[in-house]
């Protein structure tokens, strides 16, 4: 099944529901970053959560950055997700592996540790909106839901999951259900939703049982005037890095540093943190940057 996002409403527009399938893009991240099992689960859950959060933004080009900073051996997670369905991300220590937790699941909470969740929403102009909450469990789903409830004051239930085995990622995705302001005072509604979502045994067991996002929405909200939007949105792992951007970053180092790189290595190698792409600049590329810098200096004088 291709990676995709679908949207729905229920309770006369008082409930907003979004679901994502992210199996392929999580597998791509696993391969690109050579992620361990637990690192795959941690990054995959965070990428699904980022895409779910970005889906509520309105202005084209809007993006959300989710940064998880915990004291565990994973060394942090950074995800950048867009309303356009693109996502990228990485973890501090991709090779960390831990024994399963008490439930027999990948110990994402143990890998993340305790710390903070930072969210930045950027709508493409003005100051980005940013906020921070303390991590609840480090399991990502709970932490992002806690953020949405406490920092954005939207009653929210969020479930994200990744199943990774010897053959790679075979199931990944999540759902976000939010009670909008027009219905947020309806405490019975909020309680009903919370109990239904918390009764789910996770997201990947539903996928593995062959459930589609549409069927999951019907199970959760089918008796609440559910309306599923007919068009789905494609999702993909995508990074905007390029050789030109790498050259731009190298240029910032200044002529003396560049000259040093030419003498020592006759070039420079740069790896993009977000996607793992490796860029090689040779001595001629660096020499050209020095020429450009000198030209800019003489123009400004
Ligand atoms: Zn990149």
């Amino acid at each position: 099944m291709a990676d995709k996002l679908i949207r729905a409403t229920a309770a006369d527009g008082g409930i907003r529901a979004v679901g994502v399938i992210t199996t392929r893009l999580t597998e791509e991240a696993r391969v690109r970053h050579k992620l361990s099992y637990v690192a795959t689960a941690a990054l995959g859950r965070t990428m699904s959560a980022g895409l779910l959060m970005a889906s509520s933004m309105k202005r084209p080009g809007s993006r959300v950055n989710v940064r998880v900073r915990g004291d565990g051996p994973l060394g942090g997670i950074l995800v950048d997700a867009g309303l356009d369905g693109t996502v990228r991300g990485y973890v501090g220590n991709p090779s960390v592996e831990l024994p399963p937790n008490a439930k027999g699941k990948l110990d994402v909470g143990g890998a993340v540790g305790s710390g903070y969740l930072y969210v930045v929403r950027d709508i493409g102009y003005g100051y980005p909106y940013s906020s921070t909450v303390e991590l609840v469990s480090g399991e990502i789903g709970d932490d992002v839901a806690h953020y949405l409830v406490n920092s954005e004051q939207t009653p929210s239930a969020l479930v994200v999951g990744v199943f990774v085995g010897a053959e790679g990622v075979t199931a990944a995705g999540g759902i976000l259900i939010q009670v909008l302001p027009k219905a947020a005072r309806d405490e019975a509604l909020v309680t009903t939703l919370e109990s239904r979502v918390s009764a789910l045994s996770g997201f990947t067991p539903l996928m593995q049982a062959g459930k589609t996002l549409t069927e999951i929405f019907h199970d959760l909200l089918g008796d609440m005037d559910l309306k599923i939007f007919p068009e789905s949105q494609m999702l993909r792992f995508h990074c905007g890095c390029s050789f030109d951007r790498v050259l731009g970053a190298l240029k910032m180092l200044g002529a003396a540093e560049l000259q040093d790189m030419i003498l020592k290595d006759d070039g420079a190698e740069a790896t993009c943190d977000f996607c793992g792409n490796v860029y090689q600049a040779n001595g001629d590329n660096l020499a050209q940057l020095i020429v450009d810098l000198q030209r800019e200096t003489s123009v400004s004088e």
Side-chain angles (χ1 to χ4, degrees):
M1 199 191 307
D3 288 346
K4 63 176 180 180
L5 178 148
I6 69 165
R7 301 160 192 272
T9 63
D12 195 23
I15 294 174
R16 175 179 175 274
V18 193
V20 290
I21 301 290
T22 58
T23 309
R24 289 186 184 175
L25 66 88
T26 304
E27 172 64 7
E28 180 167 349
R30 185 188 72 82
V31 173
R32 280 182 173 274
H33 296 303
K34 301 181 180 66
L35 300 173
S36 68
Y37 287 85
V38 74
T40 303
L43 182 58
R45 288 182 194 179
T46 312
M47 290 196 298
S48 289
L51 287 164
L52 289 167
M53 292 168 84
S55 74
S56 68
M57 299 172 82
K58 299 284 186 289
R59 196 181 152 94
S62 294
R63 303 195 72 81
V64 57
N65 280 10
V66 184
R67 184 187 290 271
V68 179
R69 293 185 83 169
D71 59 5
L74 189 63
I77 309 167
L78 183 58
V79 161
D80 169 43
L83 176 61
D84 64 359
T86 62
V87 64
R88 57 183 186 159
Y90 63 96
V91 303
N93 179 5
S95 61
V96 64
E97 206 65 272
L98 292 177
N101 64 19
K103 292 179 186 165
K105 293 189 170 184
L106 290 168
D107 191 6
V108 173
V112 167
S114 43
Y116 293 88
L117 173 73
Y118 302 83
V119 176
V120 179
R121 287 190 186 270
D122 188 348
I123 58 169
Y125 71 97
Y127 286 109
Y129 172 82
S130 69
S131 190
T132 304
V133 293
E134 210 164 332
L135 293 172
V136 178
S137 66
E139 295 282 338
I140 308 303
D142 301 343
D143 304 304
V144 172
H146 175 72
Y147 165 81
L148 291 168
V149 171
N150 290 284
S151 215
E152 299 192 357
Q153 279 87 42
T154 311
S156 304
L158 182 131
V159 180
V160 285
V162 173
F163 189 85
V164 54
E167 66 284 16
V169 179
T170 53
I175 47 173
L176 170 65
I177 297 177
Q178 298 190 294
V179 181
L180 299 179
K182 66 186 281 189
R185 285 167 191 245
D186 185 346
E187 285 183 18
L189 180 65
V190 175
T191 310
T192 304
L193 281 174
E194 278 171 354
S195 68
R196 287 186 187 182
V197 172
S198 63
L200 296 176
S201 54
F203 187 77
T204 51
L206 299 173
M207 281 183 76
Q208 286 167 324
K211 294 255 186 196
T212 64
L213 288 172
T214 306
E215 287 167 343
I216 295 168
F217 282 162
H218 273 286
D219 290 350
L220 287 170
L221 304 166
D223 58 349
M224 292 184 179
D225 180 31
L226 174 68
K227 292 190 178 72
I228 297 176
F229 290 53
E231 61 287 341
S232 64
Q233 182 185 10
M234 303 302 287
L235 302 174
R236 66 192 172 105
F237 188 100
H238 171 76
C239 186
C241 66
S242 66
F243 187 56
D244 280 348
R245 286 196 185 192
V246 169
L247 289 180
L250 285 169
K251 197 169 152 187
M252 310 266 279
L253 297 174
E257 182 84 7
L258 291 167
Q259 191 61 53
D260 200 42
M261 288 174 160
I262 293 171
L263 288 174
K264 276 188 186 147
D265 304 314
D266 191 32
E269 183 179 289
T271 305
C272 175
D273 284 338
F274 273 107
C275 69
N277 280 355
V278 178
Y279 295 93
Q280 306 275 358
N282 61 28
D284 291 344
N285 299 137
L286 300 185
Q288 183 60 48
L289 292 177
I290 295 175
V291 172
D292 291 349
L293 281 166
Q294 285 163 345
R295 188 177 297 142
E296 285 163 21
T297 314
S298 60
V299 167
S300 62
E301 270 167 1

